[in-house]
């Protein structure tokens, strides 16, 4: 992920965009796995990744360690 992250950030700077990094952490993933099973936990992680990719279609989206997700995209201060 680090190599791709470095490239994405460099590309954004080259395009005169300001990069931003967004970090997601699913709370209580261990409890979810215990309650519903690791298979269901894996499904939740995949669903979360798909949702993040959908919300940030031009961004680099990656899974960090465990239940952590990282998004690198251009900074946009526009409020919808």
């Amino acid at each position: 992920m680090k190599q791709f992250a470095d490239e994405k950030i460099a590309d954004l700077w080259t395009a005169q965009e300001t990069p931003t990094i967004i970090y997601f952490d699913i709370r209580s993933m261990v409890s979810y796995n215990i309650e519903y099973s690791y298979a269901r936990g894996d499904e939740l992680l995949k669903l979360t990744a798909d949702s993040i990719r959908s919300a940030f279609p031009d961004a680099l989206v990656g899974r960090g360690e465990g239940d952590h997700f990282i998004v690198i995209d251009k900074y946009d201060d526009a409020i919808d």
Side-chain angles (χ1 to χ4, degrees), residues 7 10 15 23-25 40-41 43 51 54 62 70:
E7 290 173 12
Y23 179 81
F24 293 90
D25 178 11
R40 295 270 308 269
E43 290 174 14
S51 296
S54 177
I70 301 163

Side-chain angles (χ1 to χ4, degrees), residues 30-42:
V30 172
S31 297
Y32 187 92
N33 285 336
I34 291 169
E35 179 79 19
Y36 299 105
S37 80
Y38 285 96
R40 295 270 308 269
D42 288 346

Side-chain angles (χ1 to χ4, degrees), residues 7-8 29 36 41 56 60 70 76:
E7 290 173 12
K8 179 68 175 180
M29 193 68 204
Y36 299 105
F56 299 94
L60 174 65
I70 301 163
D76 184 356

